């Protein structure tokens, strides 16, 4: 991904260039892990709605995202069936585990909402970047088109989470915290093992 596109997503560090080549050679594992990522994305949105039911903007923003993420899960399953790939056991997502460790505890309820939504925004931004890499570099034209469409959706979801954080916290406060998390995310990416069976 070019620098200006990274800037659009806010990311400080591009994915390891080896990842997309490894992913193409292990597309079955990548699709399986991707399916679980979409399932977890829908679940996390539902969790936020349950956790903050009185935050009308959050509920209104994330309700359609739940539907869309679950639709993505079903779409990945469809691509897997075309290729006779079976869904296996859920895998541990070290990237998300490390990001969750970056969340600050304490503070107000809206501070915690900001932590939750900004971490989700990072996951969506990184997913959009990786969808773009797949759409541009894999030889399977059906999957290339599929991932291009998902890239657009994930980039919009990233903005959804930023907007939610800004709705319930001062924008400058959100901006400062976002920059801190971007630096931490880049450090995680720098040290994360490039694996053939993980989407992140």
């Amino acid at each position: 991904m070019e620098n200006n596109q990274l800037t659009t997503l806010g990311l400080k560090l591009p994915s390891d260039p080896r990842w997309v080549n490894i992913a193409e050679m292990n597309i079955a594992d990548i699709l399986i892990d991707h399916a679980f990522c979409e399932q977890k994305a829908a679940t996390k949105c539902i969790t936020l709605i349950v956790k903050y039911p009185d935050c009308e903007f959050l509920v209104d923003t994330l309700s359609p995202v739940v539907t869309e993420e679950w639709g993505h899960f079903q779409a990945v399953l469809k691509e897997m069936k075309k290729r006779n790939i079976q869904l296996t056991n859920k895998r541990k997502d070290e990237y998300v585990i490390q990001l969750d460790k970056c969340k600050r505890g304490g503070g107000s309820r809206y501070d915690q909402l900001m932590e939750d939504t900004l971490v989700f925004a990072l996951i969506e931004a990184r997913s959009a970047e990786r969808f773009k890499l797949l759409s541009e570099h894999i030889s399977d034209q059906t999957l290339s088109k599929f991932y291009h469409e998902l890239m657009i959706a994930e980039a919009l979801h990233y903005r959804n989470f930023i907007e939610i954080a800004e709705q319930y916290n001062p924008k400058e406060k959100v901006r400062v915290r976002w920059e801190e998390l971007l630096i931490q995310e880049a450090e995680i990416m720098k040290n994360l093992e490039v694996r053939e069976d993980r989407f992140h």
Side-chain angles (χ1 to χ4, degrees), residues 26-189:
N26 298 276
I27 200 64
D29 281 320
I30 292 299
L31 284 168
I32 291 167
D33 200 51
H34 177 195
F36 283 117
C37 288
E38 297 292 357
Q39 178 265 320
K40 286 182 286 188
T43 302
K44 284 180 182 293
C45 288
I46 293 170
T47 299
L48 281 178
I49 292 170
V50 172
K51 190 174 179 180
Y52 304 100
D54 55 318
C55 295
E56 186 177 358
F57 181 80
L58 179 149
V59 174
D60 289 346
T61 302
L62 292 186
S63 293
V65 176
V66 172
T67 304
E68 191 167 357
E69 296 286 21
W70 195 254
H72 292 169
F73 172 65
Q74 293 175 308
V76 177
L77 290 182
K78 184 177 179 181
E79 293 300 326
M80 289 169 59
K81 285 183 190 248
K82 287 180 188 176
R83 296 162 177 78
N84 296 315
I85 301 167
Q86 297 293 317
L87 194 64
T88 60
N89 293 328
K90 180 179 174 182
R91 290 96 176 270
K92 183 168 73 171
D93 193 331
E94 190 62 34
Y95 171 73
V96 173
I97 290 170
Q98 292 298 320
L99 276 182
D100 279 338
K101 291 178 182 178
C102 296
K103 290 182 185 178
R104 289 177 181 163
S108 71
R109 186 164 175 259
Y110 289 150
D111 286 331
Q112 289 308 302
L113 184 151
M114 179 176 68
E115 295 296 310
D116 287 337
T117 53
L118 291 186
V119 165
F120 291 160
L122 279 171
I123 296 169
E124 296 289 332
R126 183 59 66 184
S127 295
E129 187 236 12
R130 294 213 153 175
F131 288 150
K132 187 174 194 305
L133 286 172
L134 288 170
S135 72
E136 291 178 342
H137 296 290
I138 61 175
S139 57
D140 186 317
Q141 290 304 301
T142 300
L143 282 180
S144 175
K145 181 180 177 182
F146 176 64
Y147 279 118
H148 177 76
E149 292 169 354
L150 289 184
M151 172 197 72
I152 296 169
E154 297 300 300
L156 290 174
H157 294 169
Y158 139 75
R159 282 304 313 164
N160 288 151
F161 287 115
I162 297 287
E163 288 165 3
I164 291 169
E166 292 176 342
Q167 180 72 19
Y168 299 101
N169 292 275
K171 288 188 177 182
E172 179 61 18
K173 180 178 180 179
V174 173
R175 188 193 67 78
V176 170
R177 184 62 182 134
W178 178 239
E179 285 297 318
E180 292 171 349
L181 286 168
L182 284 170
I183 292 169
Q184 291 175 294
E185 194 267 356
E187 193 63 23
I188 290 169
M189 290 299 295

